[in-house]
Amino acid sequence: MLRSLAHVLEAPLLEIAERFSTALAAYLPHSALVIFTEACIGRPQKKAGDEAIISRVTIGELDDLRVVLPRSGAWCGRPVLGGTERDAIAWMASTGALLVLTDPHLATSADDDLRELTSFVDELWQMVAVRIQQQVAAAPPAYLRESRAASSERTRVIAELTDVHATTLETLLAALRSAELDDARARRTATDLAAAAMVRLRTVSDRDRSLAEEPVNAAFARLREDLRPLVRFGNVDVQFIAPPVDGRALPGEVAHTARAVVRGTILAMVDQSEVGRIRVQWDCDGTNLLMNIRDDGPGGLSIDTPAMHQLVLRVHALNGVATTHSTPGWGSELDVRIPLDPLEPPLGHLEEWGLGVRELEVLKHVAEGRRNRSIAHELGISENTVKFHIANLFRKMGARSRAEVAAMVHAAR
């Protein structure tokens, strides 16, 4: 088990679910494993097992399950997962991450043995959850780029589904409210049901958006909380200049990167001699997150400093810019600018897919996360024509989804 656990803990973020599922299967066989962690940029779910389950489980279902879970220990029941009630065991980690095993096969029915088994899995999960949290905090540049593409595509899909279902429900409500229908009781009941469905749909959309974005003030407050021990017990005076209250929300990967850069820069600064004060300031101009970290030390910090190199790579992964200014005897300063929106991918060098002019135009909009209706309006064509071109894109590019198309375009930049 120790070898299996080591194999899980050394796994990249995208492979943790598969390796953990394999490690647990010898002790607790199951049909699927689902991990849900809000802190994980771009990919709050990590899944392995039965495709019929993992492809359908939703964030709303996992949120509903978290509400009934105890603070510690295992929970057994029949939650709705993937649209179907099924047997499951779930655990919450101290980090707030959720682990769910569906259709667990318990080899024993003795209470003591069950408690020992679920406690054993709980201990393993606590370690895996902490490792996920550590990897998120130190996510490599390639993962940040992929997460930004995934976040953008997920947001687009949710928005498209919301529009479609909202339109359907609004039409239903209009019909039910019509004076031409004489069954008042049926009309009232159906109206209430449809209204409740609309509220639920908007809640799911808002919940997904909360995972993909973080208010800039909340992101800055989390940074201050992370640095509280250093501020309280260190010998350096760390001053925080908060961003405007009405600043634009930050995409999850931008918020995580910003905190990591500030933490790493402060640690690099305090590692110098004669640093007594550090000033951290965030601002948001509507399109970029702007950060400035300044010390009063010897002025020896630069982008070429080994401690700064990985931090700068993380900024570059999000198409950001980092520059340093140092004056011997007066201190060092780091300026960072990270765009809040992904750059428009250039499409002129994608001839290898053999796309026509109109297909390239449609591809550009798909890569931007536009919906079919928006693409049709922009290009002056019908939605059916857009669907036809997208089907050709899938065939020529060898893609199976819009998310895959967007990822392929991003990788080809």
Side-chain angles (χ1 to χ4, degrees):
M1 187 63 226
L2 290 176
R3 283 194 295 269
S4 296
L5 180 61
H7 189 57
V8 175
L9 297 180
E10 69 184 9
L13 280 169
L14 297 182
E15 297 179 19
I16 279 183
E18 189 68 44
R19 294 192 188 184
F20 196 29
S21 178
T22 300
L24 292 179
Y27 303 89
L28 185 54
H30 51 276
S31 60
L33 176 148
V34 179
I35 293 172
F36 177 48
T37 171
E38 297 184 31
C40 197
I41 35 182
R43 294 182 175 88
Q45 296 185 58
K46 293 171 179 56
K47 300 169 283 191
D50 187 346
E51 187 66 27
I53 298 174
I54 64 176
S55 63
R56 298 182 59 195
V57 65
T58 67
I59 289 175
E61 292 171 342
L62 297 173
D63 259 343
D64 290 341
L65 178 56
R66 290 208 305 181
V67 171
V68 301
L69 254 62
R71 291 183 177 272
S72 61
W75 176 92
C76 300
R78 287 183 56 82
V80 175
L81 294 170
T84 304
E85 278 193 7
R86 60 182 79 247
D87 293 330
I89 302 182
W91 295 262
M92 284 288 292
S94 59
T95 64
L98 168 69
L99 170 68
V100 183
L101 300 180
T102 60
D103 305 313
H105 178 66
L106 302 173
T108 177
S109 58
D111 289 344
D112 289 344
D113 291 341
L114 287 178
R115 278 194 293 270
E116 183 177 353
L117 176 60
T118 56
S119 177
F120 172 64
V121 174
D122 188 20
E123 294 295 333
L124 297 177
W125 169 231
Q126 298 295 332
M127 288 185 279
V128 172
V130 169
R131 179 57 180 155
I132 291 174
Q133 186 180 58
Q134 291 172 341
Q135 288 208 50
V136 169
Y143 183 80
L144 292 171
R145 285 190 291 266
E146 293 171 3
S147 293
R148 165 157 276 194
S151 296
S152 177
E153 179 61 14
R154 191 180 73 245
T155 300
R156 184 203 63 75
V157 171
I158 290 292
E160 186 173 73
L161 289 175
T162 300
D163 287 347
V164 169
H165 288 291
T167 300
T168 301
L169 292 173
E170 286 165 1
T171 303
L172 176 62
L173 286 172
L176 292 173
R177 288 169 176 156
S178 171
E180 297 179 5
L181 298 177
D182 55 5
D183 191 339
R185 184 175 179 181
R187 207 165 55 239
R188 184 169 58 253
T189 300
T191 298
D192 292 343
L193 290 173
M198 288 185 67
V199 170
R200 175 63 175 167
L201 184 65
R202 295 294 182 184
T203 300
V204 170
S205 177
D206 292 344
R207 175 64 176 135
D208 189 83
R209 189 176 299 110
S210 73
L211 292 174
E213 295 183 343
E214 188 173 356
V216 63
N217 266 354
F220 192 76
R222 285 184 61 181
L223 171 68
R224 297 187 65 165
E225 186 64 28
D226 290 345
L227 295 174
R228 184 184 297 274
L230 177 63
V231 174
R232 183 176 180 182
F233 301 111
N235 296 321
V236 177
D237 176 22
V238 182
Q239 302 173 350
F240 296 95
I241 310 299
V245 176
D246 58 351
R248 178 180 165 185
L250 306 179
E253 61 275 6
V254 173
H256 280 284
T257 296
R259 285 192 291 266
V261 168
V262 172
R263 288 193 299 264
T265 301
I266 288 179
L267 291 176
M269 286 178 167
V270 299
D271 199 37
Q272 304 173 101
S273 60
E274 302 176 3
V275 173
R277 183 171 61 254
I278 297 176
R279 180 176 179 270
V280 179
Q281 181 173 6
W282 281 18
D283 201 353
C284 188
D285 63 4
T287 57
N288 300 281
L289 173 65
L290 308 173
M291 299 189 296
N292 177 270
I293 307 104
R294 179 187 307 173
D295 69 23
D296 63 350
L301 203 66
S302 74
I303 287 180
D304 298 325
T305 303
M308 299 295 296
H309 183 65
Q310 185 66 23
L311 300 177
V312 172
L313 288 180
R314 295 190 67 164
V315 173
H316 290 171
L318 297 180
N319 302 311
V321 177
T323 57
T324 56
H325 310 278
S326 296
T327 304
W330 289 89
S332 302
E333 182 176 357
L334 174 70
D335 283 308
V336 176
R337 175 177 57 81
I338 303 177
L340 302 184
D341 297 307
L343 293 182
E344 179 178 313
L347 303 178
H349 62 291
L350 306 182
E351 295 87 354
E352 64 270 21
W353 288 320
L355 304 180
V357 175
R358 181 63 86 181
E359 288 166 346
L360 282 171
E361 292 176 339
V362 173
L363 177 62
K364 170 180 177 294
H365 292 292
V366 171
E368 291 174 348
R370 297 276 187 94
R371 300 189 293 275
N372 287 355
R373 185 184 306 174
S374 174
I375 297 173
H377 177 75
E378 185 72 22
L379 300 181
I381 56 180
S382 70
E383 287 190 53
N384 284 336
T385 302
V386 173
K387 293 177 182 178
F388 172 78
H389 287 310
I390 291 177
N392 283 341
L393 293 178
F394 286 178
R395 176 175 55 83
K396 293 183 178 182
M397 299 173 67
R400 292 175 295 179
S401 68
R402 299 171 78 113
E404 192 171 348
V405 167
M408 290 173 70
V409 171
H410 183 83
R413 289 182 57 197

